[in-house]
Amino acid sequence: MTAIVADARVAGRRVSVARGYRFELVKLVSQWRIRLLVLACWIAPALFVAAVSQQSSLPVDTLFGRWMHATGWAGSLVTLGFAGTWALPLVTSVVAGDVFASEDRLGTWRHLLVAIRSPRRIFAAKALSSLTVILLLVAGLACSSAVGGVVAVGNQPLVGIDGHLLTPGDAAGKILLAWVCVLAPTLALAAIGLLGSVALGRSPMGLLLPALVALAMQLAQMLPLPVAVRLALPGYAFIAWNGLFTSPAQIGPLLIGIVVSLLWAVTATALAYLLFIRRDFTNPTDEGSGRRAVTVGALPLAGLLAVTVGVVAAATPATGSGIAQEKVERSVATAFAHLYRLQTEQLNRPDVTEAQLKATASCNKGGGKLAAEGPGNDWRCVVSWHLPDVEAAGTAIYQLDVTPDGRFVADGDGPKEVNGYFLVRTPIGDAPNPLWQFDGNVELLHTTKG
Amino acid sequence: MDGLLGIRARGITKCFGDVVALDGIDLDVAQGQIHGLVGRNGAGKTTLLGLLLGLAVADGGHLEILGTPVGRALAAPEGVAGFVDGPGLYPSLTARQNLAALAALRSNSVRAAGIDDLLDQVGLTDVADDRTRGFSLGMRQRLGLAAALLTKPRLLVLDEPANGLDPAGKRHVHGVLGRLAAQGTSVVLSSHRMDDLEALCSEVTILATGRVVFSGPLSKLAAENRELDYWLLTSDPQAARRLAVDTAGIRVVDGAGARPDAEVLVVQALVPALDDLVVRLVHAGIGVRELAPVVSPLEAAFLTLTDEQEVSR
């Protein structure tokens, strides 16, 4: 048998990645569903935020939803929360989950290979073009929601998760940073989309994969998982941006979430690349198979998850759920103190600082019959504070619903003069007493001091 | 001599698992030649065309394209264009946009005028700004041909380019291929349309179960072949029948290959005997209005050779 001659000259003049990238962009942008998605991402958030901000009933179950009357910046964060749950998985599914599969569906692989002459460059062009479109869509969500909110409500200070006030400038900067941070888990989903698109060919499962993975991650975040597992999931950064809106910012969990997401993005992209360049384009039956998707796709990612769980567990001090009595008490007291100042200002009372208030909280779970740790809606906190020149300490009671990801809603349970429902006059109109109900979060990793 | 070859293949093999798709293929295609590739479904035509286009790498053998040895990389040399399994078009783009996007891949030098010219060559000027989603198979084939011509190829590889073409489309495609060959471009095309191959190709290669069973000029194929059936339409059918019966090497076939017009005679003969019959008809004052093979020589050879190969395996 004669050996096939290896000769680099045969490769001819290949198409550059830049030209391939432009070609892929033209194809993507010519699709109606992509055009509609771009329009939706650049217009719908503004309309949504503007419309919701005008309603008497606000989406208080969504973080920052209760502040949508108070500042236009809250709308962008409500959109960010919604995007992490629904919009971004959908966007990555439609764009990255279909970018390879569409060539299978149209039967254009051979045509593309003849035109570009390099599977590596085709992969790079497709990955970069889908990344570009995804970035365009995320930018649309961010800009549109922010503009819609500021135009509809105004450029007022934003109340952070721990109740402290952010100036409009700070709020804008942190909102931009939060959107940038969620790019990491979005990239992880996009890479999973690329992998599904390559491995599963024209099967609809390839298109659905990012959405299914995102759904599975959300379900996992609702379970009482150990902190190390929670932080090692690639979708944790969709939640961890909340930490930017505390003072000081809870950077540790956010950085871990971002690093884990980027690891998933790199690994899934590399797996997709390996699968793609090994594909035999002359064999019509070679368009992805379930078995190969499991062996080359799912197993390495499962291994990555195991490794990251191990590394996070070894490198971080938190154990168990990460929700402990002392952390809950500190979070509630901090938020109460900040919001007390806000209430004082809204009621035109003499200003008082957090240091003067010396707010503390004493919390138990299940009426003191259960260990004071972990998520649940049976937390009860008694907050105490001091006013200057007043001998006696004030006290107020809150019922807390703490979710496994550390978020909580505190519901005032008296006295009603402090944390009952009543309207206060603000420069932009009447608003509910800020101490009546408020959101907060328990830092699962103890990385900040405050 | 090799310097004039668009393709030189020796002992090419290609397997997909246990299936031997190509089994020691030899192929020579000269520059400026239109070469037909014929074979039953699964004979290995598309696999061979895929190798020529750089879509796959042969498992063994030696392949030179346009004088350049083909290595193990998945890429054909510069100067090769074409399509297998139908042209690849993007339905969300118009015909013009499809070509413009492809042109932009290679260079910025292909201007709108060049694309318009290509669309004109393949007869698609009227639908240049229509999305290809609604294109018929024939229109897609013609646009695929135009796309292949964008790079001014020196070797054009086409898989079933005649599929779905109406007579006007066929004329456009034949015209384009003829002009290309005249300019020195080698063309390799596969087809199940024997009339197309006979009209276009100077040489053909017949594949059967991954092997070459014939390769060479069409004239050689006809000479090597057995007797063929011919339709014979004359001014005096009765007299022509008597003459045919009396001519050595001619057998009148009744009932075979019948046509609705009963005056048409079917005779079976080799080419020399047929020539003799025509001379005798003319000497007898009988006008010959039509003389054509019932089955084309290429088709007859194809059926015979591929049947023999099937039996031998």
Side-chain angles (χ1 to χ4, degrees):
Chain A
M1 191 186 93
T2 318
I4 294 288
V5 177
D7 189 332
R9 287 173 300 163
V10 79
R13 189 167 59 84
R14 287 176 179 164
V15 174
S16 69
V17 172
R19 288 182 187 275
Y21 165 77
R22 192 170 59 182
F23 181 65
E24 292 297 331
L25 265 187
V26 167
K27 289 192 303 185
L28 271 175
V29 175
S30 71
Q31 294 175 28
W32 276 111
R33 64 168 178 270
I34 299 293
R35 291 180 182 182
L36 285 174
L37 213 51
V38 171
L39 276 179
C41 287
W42 279 87
I43 294 174
L47 298 177
F48 166 78
V49 170
V52 171
S53 299
Q54 306 305 317
Q55 305 297 310
S56 58
S57 174
L58 293 174
V60 293
D61 52 341
T62 305
L63 203 56
F64 294 99
R66 67 181 73 250
W67 301 112
M68 286 182 76
H69 281 159
T71 172
W73 296 110
S76 188
L77 294 173
V78 169
T79 306
L80 178 54
F82 175 79
T85 310
W86 299 108
L88 295 176
L90 179 70
V91 159
T92 52
S93 278
V94 172
V95 180
D98 195 45
V99 70
F100 289 90
S102 63
E103 305 287 351
D104 283 309
R105 211 169 42 247
L106 298 172
T108 42
W109 272 126
R110 295 172 177 188
H111 161 76
L112 198 56
L113 273 165
V114 171
I116 296 188
R117 295 165 185 267
S118 163
R120 289 176 175 80
R121 287 162 197 246
I122 290 174
F123 185 90
K126 282 189 171 293
L128 288 174
S129 62
S130 51
L131 174 66
T132 304
V133 172
I134 287 171
L135 290 179
L136 176 70
L137 297 174
V138 175
L141 290 169
C143 295
S144 175
S145 58
V147 170
V150 171
V151 169
V153 181
N155 183 25
Q156 289 84 20
L158 174 73
V159 177
I161 292 179
D162 61 355
H164 82 289
L165 275 181
L166 290 92
T167 64
D170 282 349
K174 292 205 169 185
I175 287 169
L176 178 63
L177 189 57
W179 278 99
V180 171
C181 288
V182 299
L183 283 178
T186 305
L187 289 181
L189 287 181
I192 290 168
L194 293 180
L195 179 59
S197 188
V198 171
L200 299 170
R202 70 183 75 183
S203 162
M205 277 306 294
L207 186 67
L208 291 174
L209 198 60
L212 290 176
V213 170
L215 183 63
M217 288 190 302
Q218 286 165 36
L219 289 174
Q221 293 294 348
M222 293 165 69
L223 299 174
L225 296 172
V227 184
V229 177
R230 190 177 300 283
L231 266 63
L233 290 173
Y236 187 67
F238 279 136
I239 299 168
W241 61 264
N242 297 353
L244 290 172
F245 295 89
T246 62
S247 180
Q250 297 168 4
I251 298 296
L254 179 59
L255 287 178
I256 291 173
I258 289 172
V259 169
V260 168
S261 295
L262 293 178
L263 276 176
W264 273 70
V266 170
T267 306
T269 305
L271 293 171
Y273 173 77
L274 289 176
L275 270 178
F276 183 71
I277 61 169
R278 286 178 187 173
R279 181 169 170 176
D280 183 349
F281 290 93
T282 55
N283 187 350
T285 61
D286 186 6
E287 58 158 67
S289 69
R291 194 177 69 176
R292 192 176 56 174
V294 169
T295 54
V296 184
L299 288 180
L301 290 178
L304 175 65
L305 178 61
V307 169
T308 49
V309 167
V311 170
V312 172
T316 57
T319 55
S321 68
I323 300 169
Q325 182 182 19
E326 178 263 335
K327 291 184 190 177
V328 175
E329 288 173 344
R330 192 172 63 242
S331 294
V332 170
T334 303
F336 179 87
H338 288 313
L339 291 170
Y340 192 94
R341 270 195 89 179
L342 178 65
Q343 185 199 50
T344 300
E345 182 191 337
Q346 290 174 339
L347 294 175
N348 297 313
R349 291 174 179 164
D351 189 22
V352 58
T353 65
E354 287 87 348
Q356 290 170 323
L357 284 171
K358 289 184 252 177
T360 58
S362 172
C363 302
N364 64 43
K365 192 164 184 282
K369 294 174 185 168
L370 299 174
E373 61 181 14
N377 60 1
D378 52 353
W379 282 87
R380 183 174 184 275
C381 295
V382 177
V383 182
S384 304
W385 72 98
H386 295 82
L387 290 176
D389 305 324
V390 177
E391 191 72 20
T395 59
I397 300 169
Y398 280 94
Q399 305 293 340
L400 259 66
D401 182 1
V402 184
T403 55
D405 60 9
R407 276 192 52 204
F408 67 78
V409 176
D411 190 2
D413 201 16
K416 65 180 181 182
E417 294 79 11
V418 176
N419 62 12
Y421 177 78
F422 55 85
L423 294 177
V424 292
R425 225 169 256 288
T426 71
I428 56 166
D430 291 345
N433 168 22
L435 288 173
W436 168 52
Q437 286 180 333
F438 60 86
D439 297 305
N441 80 329
V442 178
E443 188 179 9
L444 300 181
L445 284 184
H446 187 54
T447 59
T448 57
K449 293 177 181 175
Chain B
M1 184 68 185
D2 283 358
L4 299 174
L5 289 178
I7 299 169
R8 182 174 184 273
R10 291 292 179 270
I12 296 293
T13 58
K14 178 71 182 173
C15 302
F16 296 112
D18 297 334
V19 178
V20 180
L22 298 176
D23 186 5
I25 297 289
D26 294 341
L27 179 67
D28 287 331
V29 177
Q31 288 186 13
Q33 180 188 88
I34 303 181
H35 194 103
L37 207 55
V38 193
R40 293 177 186 273
N41 294 329
K45 302 187 298 294
T46 302
T47 304
L48 180 56
L49 296 180
L51 292 181
L52 300 178
L53 283 169
L55 296 172
V57 177
D59 297 326
H62 181 88
L63 177 61
E64 282 180 23
I65 294 177
L66 300 171
T68 307
V70 172
R72 301 209 66 82
L74 273 181
E78 184 73 9
V80 181
F83 57 79
V84 290
D85 279 346
L89 303 173
Y90 294 97
S92 55
L93 300 176
T94 65
R96 193 192 306 279
Q97 286 169 337
N98 264 288
L99 294 185
L102 276 173
L105 273 178
R106 284 285 165 168
S107 100
N108 295 320
S109 63
V110 180
R111 299 185 184 283
I115 290 172
D116 287 345
D117 179 51
L118 283 174
L119 288 166
D120 184 52
Q121 283 188 49
V122 297
L124 291 176
T125 302
D126 292 344
V127 291
D129 294 315
D130 292 355
R131 292 187 195 283
T132 57
R133 190 186 312 281
F135 274 23
S136 68
L137 176 59
M139 291 158 79
R140 293 171 59 82
Q141 297 278 26
R142 281 188 276 162
L143 188 56
L145 177 60
L149 298 181
L150 273 173
T151 55
K152 300 189 181 351
R154 288 180 290 138
L155 171 61
L156 186 60
V157 178
L158 301 172
D159 189 15
E160 312 270 4
N163 275 4
L165 291 178
D166 58 21
K170 192 164 90 171
R171 194 178 67 236
H172 277 115
V173 169
H174 284 200
V176 169
L177 296 182
R179 283 194 294 277
L180 278 176
Q183 291 162 8
T185 298
S186 306
V187 180
V188 179
L189 58 93
S190 74
S191 180
H192 293 297
R193 296 274 299 269
M194 302 300 168
D195 54 339
D196 272 342
L197 292 174
E198 286 176 323
L200 277 169
C201 302
S202 51
E203 293 197 5
V204 294
T205 293
I206 300 177
L207 294 179
T209 57
R211 292 179 180 171
V212 174
V213 292
F214 174 84
S215 190
L218 279 166
S219 55
K220 184 183 169 196
L221 185 66
E224 284 181 358
N225 197 24
R226 59 183 170 80
E227 292 178 330
L228 291 181
D229 289 350
Y230 296 88
W231 278 311
L232 177 61
L233 179 61
T234 61
S235 56
D236 185 348
Q238 297 303 323
R241 170 178 279 271
R242 285 194 297 275
L243 266 178
V245 170
D246 291 343
T247 304
I250 298 284
R251 193 165 69 86
V252 177
V253 181
D254 290 317
R259 285 200 334 195
D261 41 346
E263 294 186 339
V264 175
L265 197 62
V266 178
V267 297
Q268 191 174 73
L270 287 171
V271 172
L274 199 64
D275 291 344
D276 190 26
L277 174 61
V278 172
V279 170
R280 295 185 67 182
L281 286 169
V282 173
H283 282 164
I286 300 170
V288 178
R289 294 173 179 167
E290 184 183 335
L291 178 61
V294 173
V295 177
S296 77
L298 177 57
E299 187 171 349
F302 165 71
L303 292 171
T304 304
L305 292 169
T306 53
D307 282 345
E308 285 171 1
Q309 181 70 10
E310 292 285 339
V311 169
S312 70
R313 285 174 77 94

